[in-house]
Amino acid sequence: MVVFAAACSKTAPVAPTEQGQAAIDVAAQQISDGIIYFDFDKYDIKNEYREVLNQKAALMRQFPSIRVRIEGHTDERGTQEYNLALGERRAKAAYEFLVLLGVNPNQLEIISYGKEKPKAEGHDEAAYYENRRVDIHYMLNK
């Protein structure tokens, strides 16, 4: 029995069927729509976004071939170095939350853009709020 299990573990992965690929594509669309907003100078995941991450984690556990990039962003206030570090802490907070929910770390990639890729232009609290975020994007397998 041990020999059989070892032999099975070395088999090549089976390509998904058309129906299976369609399910992965639907799941990926749901994952790629993720945005989490943060308070000024904070990187803790607010309660209102925990269910969003729970749903994404469930899909990622169901479809382990799905990979996502977690992008950390900040508003324009602060130095470039500070904002890159804060963006990374925000991305890592989402990453760690997903891993705690059982997502394989190999499915996740993080990057910080700091204040370099604003979602909203402007120099007011409404724009700052939109830019203090983590974006979760589905990564196509190449």
Side-chain angles (χ1 to χ4, degrees):
M1 184 68 111
V2 174
V3 174
F4 178 75
C8 288
S9 68
K10 294 183 182 202
T11 59
V14 177
T17 63
E18 236 178 83
Q19 185 179 20
Q21 185 61 49
I24 290 171
D25 291 343
V26 168
Q29 287 173 349
Q30 294 175 31
I31 288 172
S32 67
D33 292 336
I35 298 178
I36 301 168
Y37 293 100
F38 295 85
D39 290 331
F40 176 71
D41 204 29
K42 302 285 185 194
Y43 57 93
D44 55 309
I45 305 294
K46 295 180 182 182
N47 287 335
E48 63 200 85
Y49 298 110
R50 291 174 185 250
E51 184 54 34
V52 171
L53 290 171
N54 279 325
Q55 291 171 4
K56 294 186 184 326
L59 287 169
M60 293 183 76
R61 287 190 313 266
Q62 183 179 357
F63 300 102
S65 65
I66 291 177
R67 296 194 58 227
V68 300
R69 181 176 56 244
I70 304 168
E71 301 176 349
H73 300 272
T74 66
D75 62 37
E76 65 182 14
R77 298 172 288 182
T79 66
Q80 182 176 0
E81 294 81 15
Y82 181 82
N83 284 325
L84 283 171
L86 179 57
E88 184 174 348
R89 286 192 298 272
R90 288 175 175 167
K92 280 186 178 178
Y95 170 95
E96 290 171 1
F97 195 90
L98 289 169
V99 170
L100 284 173
L101 293 173
V103 173
N104 183 336
N106 293 328
Q107 291 177 263
L108 306 170
E109 174 183 302
I110 64 170
I111 189 166
S112 175
Y113 289 110
K115 59 184 175 181
E116 300 306 314
K117 292 190 172 192
K119 180 179 174 187
E121 298 296 328
H123 310 287
D124 59 12
E125 188 52 43
Y128 295 156
Y129 175 80
E130 290 291 317
N131 293 328
R132 294 189 308 257
R133 71 191 193 283
V134 159
D135 293 327
I136 300 173
H137 295 288
Y138 171 63
M139 294 170 36
L140 295 173
N141 292 331
K142 295 182 181 176

